[in-house]
Amino acid sequence: MREEAVMNMSAAMKNKISSNVDELMAKYDKGSRYRVLSGAQGKIVSALLFCFTVFQLYYGIRGGIDAQIARSIHLAFGLTAVFFLYPTSSKMDKYSLHPLDCILGILAGACCLYVVVFFEDIVMRQGLINGMDMIVGGIAVLLVLEAARRMIGLPMVVISLGFILYALLGRSIPGALGHRGVSLEGLVQHLFYTTEGIMGLPIQVSSTFIFIFLLFGAYLEKTGMGEFFIDLANSVAGSSPGGPAKVAVISSACMGTLSGSSVANVVGTGSFTIPMMKRLGYKGEFAGAVEATASTGGQLMPPIMGAAAFLLAEITGTPYSKVILAAAIPAVLYYLGVFIGVHFEAKKLGLKGLPKEEIPKFSTVMKTRGQLIIPIFVVIGLLSSGWSPIYAALGAVASTIVCAAIKKETRLSFMDIIQGMVAGAKSALTVIAACACAGIITGVVTKTGLGLKVGSILVGIANGNLILTLFFTMITSLILGIGVPTTANYVITSTIAAPAILLITDAAGVPVVPVLAAHLFVFYFGIIADVTPPVCLAAVAAAGVAKSEPMETGMQATRLAIGAFLIPYMFVISPDLIMINPGPTVISSIITAIIGICCVSIGLTGFFKAKMNVIERILFIIAGLLTLKPGYKTDLLGLVLIAVVYYLQTKKLKNNK
C-alpha cells in the first residue's frame, strides 16, 4: 500500500509540474516555440513530418540514393517543416499558419528539390552554375539563415554572416587572416551545389545517424523513460544526504540519452528536481547550478551523447563504438566530480535526504517500468558487435516498441507509434537548421583555409608550447560556443580550434596529440560553454526554473563543472583515459584521476570531514591537480598533501567534539 501511495503521489506531482514544462521550454529553448496547429493545417503538417520519417527509415534501411540527392530531400523536408511550425516572431499567432510562412516553406522545399530534379545537369556542368542556379542557390542560403534564426537564434546567424563576409572580403583583410577572396557566384556554388557547404558533412550525419537516434529518443520519451529515470534515481539516492541533488545528477546523466540539448535536459528534469532541492534546504542558485551542470554533461555520457558525437565520429573517421568507448571514462570522471561536490555541499549544510514515504522502492520501480531500460543495452550491444549506428538505432527503435508492449502501462498503441514518428521528425528540426547553418561556416573554412590560418596563429602565440596551445584553444572554443547549440558548436570548434592542437608535431612531423583526443578536447569545451558565464544558456534556464540569480547560478555551475575544465587536459596529455592504445599504466591513471577530481571538487566545496579553512582548501586543490598530472612523482606528492589535510581535518574534528 505504501508503495502504491508513493507512486500515486509521485505521479500527481509530475502531472502538476509537467503543465509548466512546455512554458519553460518555450521561454528558454527556441526549438520549443513551435506552432500548435489543429484541423486541416495540423493534419497537413503532421502528414509532412510522418512522410519525412518514412523517407528517413527507407533511406536508412535500403539506401541506394545518391548522397547529395538524399541530403537535399532531407533538407527540403526539414526547412519546409521549420517554416510551417516556427513563426517569424514570438508575437505572431502560434495556432495558425501565416501565409508568408507557407510561401517561405514551399520556396525552401522547392530550392532543395531543385538540386534533385536538375542533379545530372548540375553535375555535368562540373561546378559552373547558370543564372537560375545562382538565384535558387542564393535564396536557399538566405532561407537557411532565416530557419536558423527561428530555431536557434541570432548568435548563429551573426557568426555565419561574419564568415560569409570574410569569404567575400578576403582581399581587404590584412595580415595572416587575409586571402585572395571569393566571388559571390563562386561562394553560392560552393555553399549550395557541392558537398562542402550546406549539403556537407553536418547534413550528411543529420540525414543518417542523427535522425534515427532522435526517433529512438522520441519513442523512449513516449514510453515514459524520463519519469522512469527520475524514479530510479530517487529510489537509489533519494534518501542519502542531499538526495534530490544526487537525483538530479543521476537522472540528468541518463536523460542525455533522450536529448542533445542542455536546455531541454534542464527543463525536463529540473522541473522535478530543483523544487525538491530547494525544499530540502539548498539555495536556488546552487539547486539551479546542480541541474545545469548535470544536464549539460548528459551530452558527454555514452552510449548516446547527443547529435554532435555522431559528427565527431564522421569528422575524425572514428567508428562510433570507439567514440563512446573513448568518452566513457571522462564522462564518469565528470559526473563523479559533480556528485562529490553535491555530496559534500550537503554535508557542509547539514542537509538530509528525502523522507522515506516520498521515495519509491527500487524493486517497485523496476517491476513497473524496468523493461524500458532494455533498449539502451540493445544499442550498446549492437554497437559493440560492429553494427553501424544506423542499424543499431533502428534495432533500438524496434526493441523500444517491443519492450514497451510487455506492460500495459507502457504499451504503445498504433496511434502512439504514428505520433512517435511525427515527434521524432519534429525533434530533428533544430539539428537540421543547426547543421545546415553550420555547413555555411564549414564551406567558408574549406574555401578559404581559415581553420589552418587560425590554428597557425594560436600555435604562434603559444610559441609551440602544447599546454599554452590547449589553453588558447579552450578559450577559443568557449567563445565560439556562446549561445550556439551543441551540434553547430562542435562543427565550428572542430574546423576553427581543433587544427591548432594538431599543428603541434614531433621531430618527425607527426602530431603529438591523437586526432580523437584533439576533437574531444574542443567538443568538451564547446559543450561546457552552456554553463560558463556570461551567456551560460543552461544555467540561465535552470535559474528560470529555480527563480534564482542567473549569473550566480552560472558561477556555481562552473565550480561544479570543474571536472570538464580539467579532464580534457588530462586525456590530451594521457590518452590512456580515452583508451587510445592503453598501456600498463591505464589502471593507475584512472585511479589517480578519480582521486584528483574528488580532491579538487572537495577543495572547491570547502568541506571534508569538517569545514575547511583557506589553507586546507588550497592544499587539497593542489593535491588534486598533482594527482591529475601523469607521473608517479606528482602522484606521490599529491597523496602526501592529501594525508596532511586528512590529519588536520581529523584533528579539527576531535577538537570540535
Side-chain angles (χ1 to χ4, degrees), residues 39 82 112 159 185 204 245 275 498 507 624:
V82 166
C112 296
I159 291 171
E185 182 180 295
Q204 177 215 323

Side-chain angles (χ1 to χ4, degrees), residues 590-629:
I590 293 171
I591 292 171
T592 53
I594 290 171
I595 295 171
I597 287 293
C598 291
C599 286
V600 173
S601 293
I602 291 169
L604 289 173
T605 303
F607 188 92
F608 184 35
K609 294 174 75 66
K611 191 172 181 180
M612 304 172 82
N613 58 37
V614 174
I615 293 175
E616 290 170 337
R617 294 178 71 169
I618 292 172
L619 287 177
F620 232 49
I621 292 170
I622 292 172
L625 294 175
L626 286 170
T627 51
L628 287 173
K629 186 180 183 300

Side-chain angles (χ1 to χ4, degrees), residues 377-388:
F377 290 105
V378 168
V379 169
I380 296 171
L382 293 177
L383 288 171
S384 301
S385 301
W387 286 47
S388 74

Side-chain angles (χ1 to χ4, degrees), residues 35 83-84 86-88 92 98-105 150:
R35 288 187 171 102
F83 285 109
F84 283 179
Y86 292 85
T88 305
M92 292 182 68
H98 192 280
L100 176 61
D101 290 334
C102 288
I103 294 169
L104 291 177
R150 296 184 184 204

